[in-house]
Amino acid sequence: MQVFLKTILFLGGFFLIFQSCGEAAEPISTVFASPEKEAKINPTVKMVVIKGGEYQPFYGEDSSLVEVKDFLLDERPVTNAEYLDFVKKNPQWKRSKAKAIFADETYLQNWQDDETLPKGADPDAAVTFVSWFAAKAYAESAGKRLPTIDEWEYVAMADEESANGRDKPEYSSKLINLYNEKDRQTRKTKLSEPNYWGVYNMFDLVWEWTDDFNSIMTTSDTRSGTFDDKGLFCAAAATTSTDALNYASYMRYAFRASLKANFTVANLGFRCARDLKTTSK
Amino acid sequence: MKQILTSFALALLTLQACKQNSTEGSASTENAMDIKVSGETETQTKLNPPMVPAPIGDRAAKKVIVHLESTEEEGVLADGVTYKFWTFNSTVPGSFIRVRVGDEVELHLKNASNSVMPHNIDLHAVNGPGGGAEATNVAPGKTAIFNFKALNPGLYVYHCAAAPVPLHIANGMYGLILVEPAGGLPKVDREYYIMQGEFYTKGKTDEKGLQEFDQDKGVDENPTYVVFNGKKNALMGDKMLEAKVGETVRIFVGNGGPNLASSFHVIGEIFDRVYMEGGSKINENVQTTLIPAGGAAIVEFKVEVPGEYVIVDHSIFRAFNKGAIGKLKVTGEENQKVFHKVQ
């Protein structure tokens, strides 16, 4: 029932936006419409088939399982070299051209200029200082999309041996100490072990954008343990999270909650996903 | 008859006083809301603990800008032991914030660009959602700004409240904010800032090298270190607090936690006055004052004879084994009347 209400409110919100579009069409349409169609790029990154299933999200007011459908996920984050190719083919995403509403003032700030990677940067390291808009544009130009939080977290349950390593005591403690390590983003991708799915670098290099990174920030305003961002800041989190001791997950959710779509951050990158065409029937 | 009249008058007076007291108490925050700010905006100076900014005294309420930067940096936890601290302004505890009732505080929280984590601040001195935590949840390299009006006088804890909250506090993200009452606090000769905190490391107490956070010990409330001002011996040796015979000392004591309550005590001194729990009620002649996790107290005393006075959490194993110990060195003339050894 509550979900239904939320959906109505959400759709209602969009209706209002469109309504106001009618009256003051220009500024809002520039914000919401994709500014220019991206030119195609063809990154050669391998995509891995993730067999879907039901999973227990870390965060939520009830303990219902969420279904994740089969999908494809890049085996590693998007690299500097790949992003350079993207900006060359899509000049509107060069550092000097990107609009502030789509990428804040630190967008690609470590690059030497519009088409030169950061000094000493490894072309095979994950690209960082990219906004959600930029990541989304990149994914579209590659014929892909950003993974959802559920897809990302579903894959993040895996350790090297199993699809779900969350119950192992070392799973969280290992990640907490890993997350505490600085400047990991400068390392080359794919140097560490792949996980159960054959996916690399889910944790050890960068935080990653997800398509719906801010979806946990949309609801009510109390500390009563409802499904909202405030639960992350206080005791409510302990009652609403399905695994209160999974500190590593808290960290990822807190990180996502601190972002706005035009933010660019030194240790935040992304990887792409794609729907798997169903062949059955 | 005269007696009756006198007692009547006395009763009347008492009643009046009571009335005044109670109205003062209950109406204080409402009145504070109406206090207008005036004069030039002040930017708070950063001082490292155990130092605190100068007393406010009887200045009018004004706008005060406070800058805090959250950082993640390796530092010394004990001799030969290092730890990856998370801080406000690079110290544990973070910079002491000092304002008065009615002040409008503009708090700038910057998250260092090389931080890995998002951080925020929950000030217990704030009336408003999350004590400011939601308004300040800030990604690495970004700055959040929010305003609050200081309505309640007292000594309050602030801390990071980003998820997972216990980890941010266990890594050292806390400090104190003092909201002085109108007219200021009574004058003293010395003021110091001490904040207790616990650290949970994989290695045993005093095991050398860089120590990792131990989540299990945290959950079990079994700290490896209980320390004042962020490290073992932060108030020992040449870092001892100092005072001279005859001076009055005020210590702003906080407890960052995350788990333990502190039984704050100075060996060989009696607190002449304690602002209990950092609030407005004053207790007198106190040996040990209890400071809850996420709480504070102001203690005041006059030092009468010279010596080294040991400051402890009187849960005494912590003091002598895990680090909750410091010293106040008092210099000056002996006073045989107060203290002398006979044989």
Side-chain angles (χ1 to χ4, degrees), chain A residues 104 106 172 176-177 179-182 184 207 223 230 232-233 245 247 250-251 254-255 257-258 263-265 267, chain B residues 72 84 86 114-118 120 130 134 137 139-140 142 161 163-167 202 212-213 215 219:
Chain A
D104 67 10
T106 55
S172 182
I176 291 167
N177 286 303
Y179 282 166
N180 211 353
E181 227 177 281
K182 285 188 173 189
R184 290 171 281 129
W207 302 109
R223 291 192 172 199
K230 288 177 203 87
L232 287 168
F233 303 125
L245 292 182
Y247 279 17
Y250 274 118
M251 289 170 166
F255 194 92
S258 77
F263 273 21
T264 66
V265 178
N267 55 5
Chain B
E72 301 161 4
K84 284 179 178 168
W86 296 355
N114 69 347
S115 287
V116 181
M117 301 297 158
N120 65 26
E134 295 169 68
N137 197 39
K142 310 299 174 196
V165 186
L167 180 60
K202 282 262 154 59
E212 287 186 349
F213 169 71
Q215 188 179 346
V219 173

Side-chain angles (χ1 to χ4, degrees), chain A residues 17-31:
Chain A
I17 288 166
F18 283 123
Q19 277 296 93
S20 51
C21 269
E23 278 166 30
E26 272 219 326
I28 291 181
S29 61
T30 35
V31 173

Side-chain angles (χ1 to χ4, degrees), chain A residues 107-147:
Chain A
Y107 176 62
L108 301 179
Q109 76 160 10
N110 53 347
W111 288 36
Q112 298 178 63
D113 60 43
D114 269 354
E115 295 191 9
T116 314
L117 293 181
K119 213 169 182 186
D122 192 317
D124 291 331
V127 67
T128 58
F129 286 118
V130 286
S131 67
W132 178 83
F133 290 109
K136 206 171 156 64
Y138 176 99
E140 276 165 21
S141 80
K144 302 179 187 179
R145 61 175 173 79
L146 294 177

Side-chain angles (χ1 to χ4, degrees), chain B residues 15-319:
Chain B
L15 210 69
Q16 276 298 96
C18 275
K19 211 170 148 192
Q20 236 169 18
N21 255 338
S22 69
T23 45
E24 238 173 59
S26 62
S28 63
T29 59
E30 267 169 52
N31 292 342
M33 222 182 303
D34 296 331
I35 298 175
K36 296 263 190 305
V37 293
S38 61
E40 275 183 36
T41 299
E42 172 195 313
T43 302
Q44 187 106 135
T45 39
K46 287 181 222 171
L47 290 168
N48 289 347
M51 304 322 290
V52 296
I56 294 206
D58 60 359
R59 76 151 164 80
K62 60 158 84 166
K63 182 163 180 177
V64 179
I65 296 174
V66 175
H67 290 276
L68 291 175
E69 181 173 12
S70 55
T71 70
E72 301 161 4
E73 52 191 285
E74 203 172 307
V76 175
L77 178 55
D79 279 350
V81 183
T82 52
Y83 186 79
K84 284 179 178 168
F85 293 93
W86 296 355
T87 81
F88 288 105
N89 282 351
S90 296
T91 57
V92 180
S95 304
F96 193 90
I97 304 170
R98 191 163 195 162
V99 297
R100 58 150 285 171
V101 149
D103 276 356
E104 287 173 19
V105 184
E106 182 180 298
L107 195 139
H108 297 234
L109 180 65
K110 180 181 193 309
N111 190 356
S113 53
N114 69 347
S115 287
V116 181
M117 301 297 158
H119 297 293
N120 65 26
I121 189 167
D122 170 351
L123 299 116
H124 293 179
V126 167
N127 292 283
E134 295 169 68
T136 56
N137 197 39
V138 61
K142 310 299 174 196
T143 298
I145 303 171
F146 88 110
N147 268 285
F148 68 91
K149 193 166 180 76
L151 299 181
N152 302 66
L155 181 63
Y156 300 92
V157 167
Y158 68 78
H159 62 89
C160 180
V165 186
L167 180 60
H168 286 258
I169 293 176
N171 281 349
M173 297 195 82
Y174 42 74
L176 290 180
I177 170 171
L178 173 69
V179 181
E180 291 197 20
L185 293 172
K187 204 177 164 329
V188 291
D189 297 307
R190 307 253 178 184
E191 289 185 330
Y192 291 115
Y193 169 23
I194 298 179
M195 197 155 187
Q196 184 167 321
E198 303 130 38
F199 291 89
Y200 300 83
T201 64
K202 282 262 154 59
K204 288 187 178 130
T205 314
D206 292 329
E207 196 170 311
K208 305 293 181 215
L210 176 64
Q211 291 296 317
E212 287 186 349
F213 169 71
D214 188 315
Q215 188 179 346
D216 292 335
K217 284 186 188 167
V219 173
D220 290 346
E221 307 189 12
N222 178 26
T224 331
Y225 294 89
V226 183
V227 295
F228 294 137
N229 290 7
K231 67 175 176 190
K232 216 173 168 181
N233 301 328
L235 302 173
M236 300 290 262
D238 58 356
K239 307 257 173 34
M240 276 185 222
L241 308 184
E242 288 175 0
K244 293 199 174 75
V245 165
E247 285 183 331
T248 44
V249 178
R250 172 181 292 140
I251 308 179
F252 300 103
V253 195
N255 184 2
N259 288 316
L260 306 180
S262 173
S263 302
F264 189 76
H265 178 81
V266 177
I267 299 173
E269 259 303 333
I270 295 154
F271 304 138
D272 301 325
R273 292 148 62 87
V274 174
Y275 292 72
M276 294 185 287
E277 297 171 6
S280 305
K281 287 272 182 295
I282 293 172
N283 198 358
E284 292 176 326
N285 305 321
V286 175
Q287 57 189 313
T288 300
T289 193
L290 190 65
I291 305 173
I298 304 172
V299 302
E300 295 171 357
F301 51 92
K302 186 174 176 182
V303 285
E304 291 84 4
V305 290
E308 286 184 1
Y309 294 81
V310 179
I311 305 163
V312 295
D313 177 341
H314 214 300
S315 293
I316 212 73
F317 274 100
R318 293 175 198 165

